[in-house]
Amino acid sequence: MRDLTITTIIKECSEDELSPADRLLVEKAKDATRTSYSPYSRFHVGAAILMDDGTICTGSNQENAAYPSGLCAERTAAFHASATHPGIAMKKIAIAAWTAAGKPEGLPYKDYFQKMPISPCGGCRQALLEYEARDGDIEVILYGADKIYIFPSIASLLPFCFTSF
Ligand code: THU
């Protein structure tokens, strides 16, 4: 019996180190947080997906009184992208979030982005993985006000993933 090691090399950077195209994608993810419907968690998440034809599809978390019926920002964006751009590969996804909890009324949401990046939940990783397995790597840009992490693919966020049966 022997040990195997799984290694993921990710990039850490600040916003001003991003390329202009990546900065734009992050801006779109931040903008998308404004469309979040999150009266229960008050956690506003936005995702922006760069498509292979250059368009950007966004999504935000949509909650529901029947909690499990809601959907995360990442899957909202991915399903939006797939439904409106069938056959076009997703190349990158950027994710940003802020919380209204503790945010004084009237202060701009832009000052309330999470300092550390938030990372997609397991269900969103699995859903995104299916598009990646079909169309090629989707880079993941996790925005935090203090630092940004960049993963080379969805699979790198989901080792030993299930893709087919
Ligand atoms: N949420 C997302 O939209 N994306 C994530 O990566 C983590 C969590 C949402 C789900 C729910 O509406 C709220 O954030 C609190 O979990």
Side-chain angles (χ1 to χ4, degrees), residues 41 43 45 61 63 72-74 118-121:
S41 71
F43 194 53
V45 188
N61 56 327
E63 298 184 347
C72 296
E74 296 88 331
I118 71 148
S119 196
C121 77

Side-chain angles (χ1 to χ4, degrees), residues 92-154:
K92 294 185 187 204
I93 181 168
I95 301 153
W98 58 277
T99 177
K103 172 179 164 308
E105 223 28 73
L107 276 188
Y109 74 95
K110 284 187 189 255
D111 295 339
Y112 278 84
F113 280 106
Q114 297 292 114
K115 291 199 181 315
M116 288 300 288
I118 71 148
S119 196
C121 77
C124 287
R125 293 177 198 205
Q126 183 69 34
L128 284 159
L129 181 73
E130 184 122 349
Y131 299 115
E132 174 170 286
R134 187 188 64 186
D135 296 331
D137 284 357
I138 303 172
E139 193 177 272
V140 185
I141 304 173
L142 304 179
Y143 173 81
D146 282 354
K147 62 178 66 167
I148 291 171
Y149 293 141
I150 303 177
F151 287 75
S153 62
I154 302 295

Side-chain angles (χ1 to χ4, degrees), residues 8-147:
T8 304
I9 297 177
I10 69 170
K11 290 192 196 316
E12 181 194 306
C13 67
S14 60
E15 202 166 357
D16 51 0
E17 290 178 282
L18 292 175
S19 67
D22 285 356
R23 215 171 303 144
L24 174 69
L25 198 64
V26 164
E27 276 312 306
K28 295 285 183 189
K30 289 181 178 181
D31 280 353
T33 62
R34 290 190 293 173
T35 67
S36 164
Y37 174 65
S38 41
Y40 305 104
S41 71
R42 304 188 73 203
F43 194 53
H44 298 239
V45 188
I49 297 176
L50 175 67
M51 308 300 291
D52 205 18
D53 66 0
T55 54
I56 293 175
C57 295
T58 61
S60 56
N61 56 327
Q62 302 294 317
E63 298 184 347
N64 191 275
Y67 285 9
S69 303
L71 199 61
C72 296
E74 296 88 331
R75 258 178 290 173
T76 304
F79 294 162
H80 167 208
S82 182
T84 57
H85 295 72
I88 311 282
M90 302 177 202
K91 303 304 286 181
K92 294 185 187 204
I93 181 168
I95 301 153
W98 58 277
T99 177
K103 172 179 164 308
E105 223 28 73
L107 276 188
Y109 74 95
K110 284 187 189 255
D111 295 339
Y112 278 84
F113 280 106
Q114 297 292 114
K115 291 199 181 315
M116 288 300 288
I118 71 148
S119 196
C121 77
C124 287
R125 293 177 198 205
Q126 183 69 34
L128 284 159
L129 181 73
E130 184 122 349
Y131 299 115
E132 174 170 286
R134 187 188 64 186
D135 296 331
D137 284 357
I138 303 172
E139 193 177 272
V140 185
I141 304 173
L142 304 179
Y143 173 81
D146 282 354
K147 62 178 66 167

Side-chain angles (χ1 to χ4, degrees), residues 150-164:
I150 303 177
F151 287 75
S153 62
I154 302 295
S156 67
L157 276 168
L158 195 61
F160 276 94
C161 44
F162 175 70
T163 50
S164 63

